[in-house]
Amino acid sequence: MAHLADLDWHIVAPEEVFKRLSTSPTEGLSADQVKRRLTEYGKNMPSPPPTHYTKQILGYFFKGFGSILLIGAILVFITWKPLGEPPSQANLALGIVLVAVFIIQAAFNAWQDWSSSRVMASITSMLPDDCLLLRESAQITTAASELVPGDILCFKAGNKLPADVRFVELTSDAKFDRSILTGESLPLPGRVESTDDNYLETRSIGLQGTHCISGSGVGVVVSTGDRTVFGRIAKLTNEPKTGMTTLEREILRFVIIISSIMLSMIILVVIVWAAWLRVDHPDYINVPTLIVDCVSVAIAFIPEGLPIALTASLTITANLMKKNKVLCKSLKTVETLGAVSVICSDKTGTLTKNKMYVTDCTVGAQESTPQAARDTIVANQQNAGVRSHAVNQLRTIAGLCNAGEFDAASRDVPLHERTVHGDATDQAILRFSEGLGPVAELRRLWTKTFELAFNSKNKFMVRTFALAAPAGRDLALSSSEATAIEPASTLLTIKGAPDILIGRCTHFVAETGETCLLDDTTRKTLDNIKNQWSAQGKRVILLARKVIMKQALRVSPQVDEFEGEVMDQVRSGLTLVGLVGIVDPPRDEIPEVVRILRRAGIRIFMVTGDFALTAQTIAMQCGIVSNPSSRVDNISALERDKIGQADTTNIAVAADAAPRSIVINGADLMALNEPQWEQLARYEEIVFARTTPEQKLRIVREFQARNEVVGMTGDGVNDAPSLKAADIGIALGSGSQIAIEAADMVLLDSFSAVVAAVQYGRVVFDNLKKTITYLLPAGSFSEFWPVMTSVLFGLPQVLSSFLMIIICCFTDIAAATVMVYEAPEADVLLRKPRNLKTDKLVDWQLILQAYGFIGVFETLSSFAMSYWYLQRSGIPFSALWFQFGATPSNIDPDYFTARINEASSIYFVNLVVMQWFTLMAIRTRRLSIFQHPPAFNKQTQNLYLFPAIGFALCMAIFWLYIPALQNVLSTSNVPAEHFFLPAALGLGVLLLDEARKYAVRRWPRGLLAKCAW
């Protein structure tokens, strides 16, 4: 990074930066300049990291079970030569097939990797990544990739800097989070002047990738793309390693279990062979046959289709969620969604429409409306131009103490349609002020000298102004103050939460425009108005001002210490100009969303910075609080010394009787002790009001400590810490860039999409359980027993090792993969969330279903069909029992071998056909096939099942009916009835499982329901 020492953007004055880059702080770049610089510097995007093709290709071959397949193939080739005497063509064919499967699974892994990368890339491209620029004297919004050196960038709290910029204008509270580059946990203040000769240490440079966490400012872009510090570092480093996801750990656990069983069985076979068969029956199983048997058992037990099914399932689900306007930034997010048990939702913009408008205001101590205020201004203008009326002062403070800016491109459209850059509250108050008179006029009359942006800790915003034209005095001040104010005086304007600011006000503006003492009666009147509006679900904002004479200021607004001076000044002596009531109605779909999620066993809490009464009213409108106000608890309901099992039981009983609701303030939250948190965590309906970022983080961690899987929604800068800490951070596409960066999932449309997200998150887990349940019966259980009966009872191996491999790697693989396309079952959102600690992917209920029911049925049926065929062919079972390879004396050896080959093929066909019906049976865990049909119902159908069944049939015919393969592989034609008999047996499996599902639905607390997988 030595070449960074040559950069001097941070040392030279802003005027020199503008000169070097041929740009203007008031006009920005022209369209021609932008076009030329895009050609010269390229897009503002980092170069893709180098691809390690060797490592990637080896990964395709050996990840999953590729290494087992390769080792198996090598061992089988060894049994062909040199161990084979004479070399067995069947072993050669088996080795070739294993190598082919090894290559096919590598090709599938490569395709799957490409497919999932494409899906995730398309999701990343849909994430909002716009920035606000000044070009050709107008503010425009453009994609970050279109930035060029010389662009004038405007940023505010919540924005991520899209390039390296030299600061030219900053508010005093502007701070930047550089942890992504430097690891520093504390945000650093920005400065216009250089603070260090080191380019990386100076605070006059904003580095790409850092976040503005407070304040706002303007900077000129000095580096883009790979030329930025972030771009240069990225070229020197590799992508970070990601840990295993929950499902990957679950599957690893399953593979370890199944591999342990496999190794135990192989060891048992080897021990029996070495201790008994090799001694007493040396001609029965030779070393090559033993190796082939062991390889067959190993490959039979390992579900080769599972890794493919996992990746395919997560990718397909992420794609489906994208279509529902839900963007998952990683595949891990998809699986965790299914286990979410608590969702802590922000109010503004998430539960509400984020389309705020002022409905009420106070003029003096009287309630009014925006329309009445407009009428008053018109009347005053006609009445000899009265300008110091309370309405004029309200309009002025609303327009000046406001970070919102009208978009120049929308200046000619009606006021309610004009685009405003700024948060929703500023937009509403700016439109209110503009409705009373031009805001641009106010900002010409007063020059801003300092700004302290709103933050969730202070809950107010401050701007100070110097008088630019004498006419400004009459609009902002009473007549007496306008006469007394000096040209060098400072006008301090402030807006924020009434409960924070009203105690700091000593005066108020009366209806006439004069300043009066704020006595207890007026204070009580205003407090009642505030409570009344809050109870109607309105956000109440207090607007106030203070005139500070020059001699009262210890420092000037131009120095860094002025922020401390302002904080001292706003502690007291404020003049209350008025209150405004803002409506942000709940989204129409929210009550239904809350109802669905509640039925799914998910508790939804509101976490907001709003006043408690406002939050409670909106929560009641959204359905988050279902009890009337009289039955909503507060902190007094939480006892500090309430500990014990009895208390827990009482709470649970009460919860069963009716949902319990509580509203609690952030200030009270931090004082809660452990017993109070235990009581609070058992409420079904909670509203957390007046919360700070630290308190939101505390809420997330307290519920996580109680084994809840927490989803947190938010869109602001203050939400970022809790979004990162939550199990699933959910941001809105309209939210701040820092929130989107911190979140795991982005809702592009509305909060209602979270229903589809939870549903698909659960479906991923369900479908993987179905895939495993499908793979185990035929793919391991029914294949293992022919080997074991051969070893223990001296019976012919009634399913050849080659056909075992065909079932595992061909006939079962397609159906197992298409199971991931299964539609959600109707009851998927009627179940409780999955418990990550107790609800495993593979549990004893699934093993019972796969082995104890389907596996036993398929194994016994296949044995019966094979031995029945041999019986009909003149080879009774008694002639095979404990024969250890000896041919019955009354049967021709060639005839015997041919019949055994046919019996092996029948066993194979029996499993293939019965698996079709198993596939239909395990599509649902509780619902009937008639409630969830595989076809002719768009909500439930999975038409991929039928090509998968066709593929299995084609594979069976291919390996059994081609004469050249029959001679080499010892396979045979199968009589026609042995395709129809297993169909009847498979239908039996389906009907028995239908009966089991009916019993589970009919008696949900019965024995079968407890054993249900």
Side-chain angles (χ1 to χ4, degrees):
M1 304 293 285
H3 47 279
L4 289 177
D6 301 331
L7 298 176
D8 62 352
W9 295 115
H10 57 303
I11 299 172
V12 300
E15 293 74 17
E16 176 65 19
V17 175
F18 295 136
K19 184 178 178 182
R20 288 188 190 180
L21 294 172
S22 304
T23 188
S24 163
T26 56
E27 297 178 4
L29 296 175
S30 67
D32 287 341
Q33 285 178 302
V34 171
K35 188 175 180 180
R36 286 197 303 272
R37 295 184 189 194
L38 271 175
T39 304
E40 180 180 354
Y41 297 104
K43 295 268 188 181
N44 179 35
M45 301 167 70
S47 300
T51 303
H52 303 288
Y53 288 108
T54 303
K55 183 178 178 182
Q56 190 175 28
I57 292 169
L58 287 174
Y60 294 150
F61 278 102
F62 293 103
K63 75 178 180 181
F65 302 112
S67 54
I68 293 177
L69 288 169
L70 183 61
I71 292 170
I74 292 170
L75 289 174
V76 170
F77 278 124
I78 291 172
T79 65
W80 172 59
K81 283 184 179 180
L83 294 182
E85 294 179 2
S88 169
Q89 296 300 310
N91 289 349
L92 173 61
L94 180 57
I96 292 171
V97 167
L98 287 175
V99 170
V101 172
F102 175 69
I103 294 170
I104 290 169
Q105 66 96 30
F108 200 97
N109 283 335
W111 176 82
Q112 194 64 53
D113 181 54
W114 172 81
S115 178
S116 59
S117 299
R118 189 182 60 169
V119 169
M120 297 313 295
S122 70
I123 286 173
T124 304
S125 68
M126 291 177 70
L127 292 173
D129 192 22
D130 295 336
C131 51
L132 190 63
L133 300 179
L134 180 69
R135 283 181 180 173
E136 297 187 323
S137 303
Q139 283 191 347
I140 65 165
T141 301
T142 188
S145 59
E146 300 297 318
L147 259 68
V148 295
D151 263 325
I152 306 298
L153 175 72
C154 305
F155 54 86
K156 61 179 181 179
N159 289 162
K160 180 173 73 172
L161 297 184
D164 287 355
V165 299
R166 170 68 160 89
F167 298 137
V168 296
E169 182 182 325
L170 290 172
T171 59
S172 65
D173 59 332
K175 292 183 179 179
F176 300 86
D177 177 7
R178 285 187 164 198
S179 58
I180 189 171
L181 288 173
T182 64
E184 296 176 74
S185 58
L186 294 176
L188 299 174
R191 294 287 182 267
V192 173
E193 305 80 19
S194 181
T195 59
D196 199 296
D197 289 340
N198 187 322
Y199 189 80
L200 294 176
E201 297 294 333
T202 184
R203 297 181 184 177
S204 63
I205 295 290
L207 300 176
Q208 181 193 32
T210 61
H211 288 97
C212 175
I213 64 166
S214 65
S216 59
V218 176
V220 56
V221 175
V222 295
S223 301
T224 59
D226 289 338
R227 297 174 183 84
T228 64
V229 171
F230 190 84
R232 297 178 189 194
I233 292 174
K235 292 178 75 173
L236 303 176
T237 60
N238 294 320
E239 292 185 7
K241 293 181 179 179
T242 54
M244 293 184 71
T245 66
T246 310
L247 269 184
E248 285 173 338
R249 283 194 295 270
E250 283 283 300
I251 288 178
L252 177 62
R253 171 180 168 272
F254 163 65
V255 169
I256 290 172
I257 291 171
I258 210 76
S259 298
S260 301
I261 298 172
M262 172 197 75
L263 287 172
S264 301
M265 295 301 102
I266 290 175
I267 291 170
L268 176 63
V269 169
V270 172
I271 290 173
V272 171
W273 175 81
W276 176 35
L277 296 180
R278 188 172 61 90
V279 176
D280 294 350
H281 306 282
D283 298 328
Y284 178 41
I285 296 177
N286 57 22
V287 172
T289 304
L290 177 69
I291 292 174
V292 170
D293 283 346
C294 290
V295 168
S296 302
V297 170
I299 293 174
F301 264 96
I302 297 299
E304 284 82 3
L306 194 55
I308 294 170
L310 171 63
T311 310
S313 180
L314 295 176
T315 306
I316 291 162
T317 306
N319 214 3
L320 286 169
M321 290 169 70
K322 185 183 77 169
K323 292 178 182 176
N324 283 277
K325 303 291 185 182
V326 179
L327 304 185
C328 292
K329 290 163 69 176
S330 73
L331 295 180
K332 175 187 176 183
T333 307
V334 179
E335 60 180 79
T336 310
L337 273 167
V340 167
S341 58
V342 166
I343 294 178
C344 297
S345 176
D346 186 30
K347 178 179 76 69
T348 305
T350 304
L351 301 174
T352 61
K353 294 179 179 178
N354 207 26
K355 295 180 180 178
M356 298 187 182
Y357 54 92
V358 175
T359 57
D360 300 272
C361 60
T362 60
V363 178
Q366 304 297 317
E367 291 187 65
S368 185
T369 64
Q371 183 59 52
R374 277 192 290 273
D375 294 342
T376 301
I377 284 185
V378 171
N380 288 340
Q381 289 171 346
Q382 294 171 351
N383 185 19
V386 176
R387 294 175 70 82
S388 61
H389 191 276
V391 175
N392 279 315
Q393 296 183 49
L394 182 63
R395 166 213 166 191
T396 303
I397 303 305
L400 292 178
C401 191
N402 199 307
E405 295 279 353
F406 284 110
D407 191 311
S410 61
R411 64 167 62 94
D412 298 325
V413 302
L415 177 59
H416 68 280
E417 295 179 8
R418 290 184 67 179
T419 303
V420 180
H421 300 295
D423 67 31
T425 304
D426 276 338
Q427 290 182 33
I429 295 177
L430 189 68
R431 286 195 172 95
F432 167 69
S433 179
E434 183 76 9
L436 301 178
V439 172
E441 175 195 1
L442 302 174
R443 294 180 176 179
R444 282 196 301 270
L445 299 175
W446 291 92
T447 302
K448 185 180 74 170
T449 57
F450 171 83
E451 178 177 339
L452 181 67
F454 176 89
N455 66 65
S456 56
K457 188 173 288 185
N458 294 333
K459 299 198 182 298
F460 58 74
M461 169 193 182
V462 179
R463 275 188 172 184
T464 63
F465 295 87
L467 186 64
R473 291 178 296 193
D474 295 331
L475 287 173
L477 306 169
S478 65
S479 55
S480 58
E481 291 172 308
T483 304
I485 191 172
E486 301 171 357
S489 298
T490 294
L491 174 66
L492 183 150
T493 64
I494 185 170
K495 80 170 188 289
D499 49 321
I500 303 294
L501 296 181
I502 199 165
R504 308 181 184 196
C505 296
T506 55
H507 295 76
F508 79 102
V509 177
E511 190 172 356
T512 58
E514 292 303 316
T515 303
C516 302
L517 191 67
L518 183 60
D519 56 25
D520 290 341
T521 303
T522 307
R523 194 182 296 273
K524 186 174 181 181
T525 300
L526 291 169
D527 201 47
N528 289 336
I529 291 172
K530 178 202 72 171
N531 291 338
Q532 177 189 336
W533 290 353
S534 296
Q536 295 168 0
K538 296 172 182 173
R539 172 174 286 184
V540 185
I541 301 295
L542 184 149
L543 299 167
R545 59 171 170 78
K546 182 178 184 178
V547 177
I548 309 171
M549 297 301 179
K550 181 180 179 182
Q551 56 271 25
L553 287 175
R554 295 189 295 270
V555 294
S556 72
Q558 284 71 42
V559 300
D560 295 341
E561 291 76 14
F562 189 67
E563 181 178 344
E565 174 72 14
V566 166
M567 293 302 290
D568 287 340
Q569 291 288 346
V570 300
R571 293 182 193 280
S572 62
L574 300 178
T575 299
L576 192 154
V577 177
L579 301 175
V580 292
I582 302 173
V583 165
D584 185 13
R587 294 178 183 269
D588 299 333
E589 69 275 12
I590 292 299
E592 178 65 11
V593 170
V594 171
R595 186 186 67 81
I596 292 171
L597 293 178
R598 279 247 173 87
R599 287 172 58 196
I602 299 171
R603 293 185 291 168
I604 305 179
F605 304 147
M606 179 187 285
V607 184
T608 179
D610 254 348
F611 185 59
L613 271 176
T614 304
Q616 180 178 325
T617 304
I618 296 294
M620 293 173 75
Q621 293 173 3
C622 293
I624 291 174
V625 171
S626 57
N627 289 313
S629 299
S630 59
R631 290 184 55 200
V632 177
D633 293 342
N634 55 33
I635 191 173
S636 62
L638 305 177
E639 300 177 22
R640 295 193 68 81
D641 57 351
K642 192 170 185 178
I643 308 174
Q645 183 61 40
D647 297 328
T648 302
T649 306
N650 291 337
I651 290 171
V653 170
D656 288 340
R660 301 199 315 152
S661 312
I662 189 169
V663 176
I664 190 162
N665 278 305
D668 299 326
L669 202 66
M670 303 310 284
L672 297 183
N673 62 13
E674 191 66 19
Q676 287 177 307
W677 270 109
E678 287 293 338
Q679 297 166 59
L680 179 63
R682 296 183 181 277
Y683 275 83
E684 289 79 16
E685 303 172 349
I686 308 178
V687 175
F688 296 99
R690 282 286 186 253
T691 52
T692 64
E694 295 82 4
Q695 290 158 0
K696 288 186 177 184
L697 191 59
R698 174 85 182 272
I699 291 166
V700 170
R701 287 178 173 164
E702 288 289 348
F703 280 100
Q704 286 175 327
R706 287 157 179 81
N707 297 323
E708 303 284 358
V709 179
V710 181
M712 169 65 80
T713 73
D715 59 357
V717 180
N718 58 321
D719 296 319
S722 52
L723 288 173
K724 282 185 178 178
D727 297 283
I728 292 286
I730 306 170
L732 298 180
S734 57
S736 65
Q737 288 174 316
I738 191 170
I740 291 172
E741 189 93 359
D744 303 293
M745 187 173 82
V746 181
L747 306 180
L748 289 184
D749 193 7
S750 76
F751 182 69
S752 61
V754 81
V755 172
V758 170
Q759 183 183 48
Y760 284 117
R762 294 185 176 188
V763 167
V764 167
F765 192 77
D766 279 4
N767 286 351
L768 282 173
K769 284 182 83 80
K770 294 170 185 176
T771 296
I772 292 173
T773 309
Y774 174 78
L775 287 171
L776 292 183
S780 63
F781 192 83
S782 299
E783 293 182 352
F784 165 72
W785 285 108
V787 175
M788 190 55 70
T789 56
S790 174
V791 171
L792 294 179
F793 306 121
L795 291 166
Q797 187 172 315
V798 79
L799 177 65
S800 71
S801 297
F802 182 84
L803 292 178
M804 287 184 192
I805 304 298
I806 298 303
I807 290 175
C808 289
C809 300
F810 287 95
T811 62
D812 269 1
I813 202 82
T817 305
V818 301
M819 285 298 288
V820 303
Y821 288 94
E822 277 298 321
E825 293 183 48
D827 67 341
V828 73
L829 288 178
L830 299 177
R831 308 180 211 144
K832 289 183 178 181
R834 175 168 61 95
N835 187 316
L836 291 177
K837 290 189 174 181
T838 59
D839 296 337
K840 300 297 183 182
L841 184 65
V842 177
D843 50 23
W844 67 267
Q845 291 99 331
L846 185 144
I847 294 295
L848 181 65
Q849 173 77 7
Y851 286 166
F853 171 43
I854 299 175
V856 168
F857 200 99
E858 288 188 354
T859 302
L860 293 178
S861 299
S862 300
F863 270 129
M865 289 296 101
S866 296
Y867 289 123
W868 181 52
Y869 173 77
L870 291 174
Q871 177 84 26
R872 289 186 298 153
S873 301
I875 306 174
F877 184 75
S878 58
L880 303 173
W881 189 254
F882 288 110
Q883 294 303 306
F884 298 103
T887 303
S889 57
N890 59 337
I891 300 174
D892 179 68
D894 293 336
Y895 177 83
F896 179 81
T897 302
R899 300 294 78 77
I900 292 296
N901 290 343
E902 288 179 4
S904 174
S905 300
I906 287 171
Y907 194 106
F908 169 73
V909 167
N910 203 80
L911 286 180
V912 170
V913 174
M914 289 189 73
Q915 279 290 85
W916 302 343
F917 294 88
T918 298
L919 187 65
M920 295 300 169
I922 64 169
R923 286 184 60 249
T924 60
R925 295 166 63 188
R926 291 171 181 82
L927 299 181
S928 167
I929 192 172
F930 301 107
Q931 295 171 310
H932 195 89
F936 310 114
N937 183 332
K938 288 187 177 180
Q939 300 298 320
T940 64
Q941 68 187 18
N942 181 1
L943 299 180
Y944 293 108
L945 294 172
F946 302 103
I949 290 172
F951 175 79
L953 178 61
C954 290
M955 284 292 99
I957 292 172
F958 176 81
W959 297 109
L960 297 183
Y961 283 84
I962 297 177
L965 293 178
Q966 288 177 341
N967 297 331
V968 174
L969 305 176
S970 300
T971 57
S972 171
N973 295 351
V974 173
E977 68 262 26
H978 284 284
F979 279 91
F980 294 99
L981 287 171
L985 294 168
L987 187 61
V989 171
L990 181 59
L991 292 176
L992 285 172
D993 203 52
E994 283 290 301
R996 181 194 65 82
K997 292 172 188 172
Y998 173 78
V1000 169
R1001 296 193 303 272
R1002 179 69 178 80
W1003 298 286
R1005 298 183 184 275
L1007 178 63
L1008 282 176
K1010 292 177 181 177
C1011 297
W1013 62 291

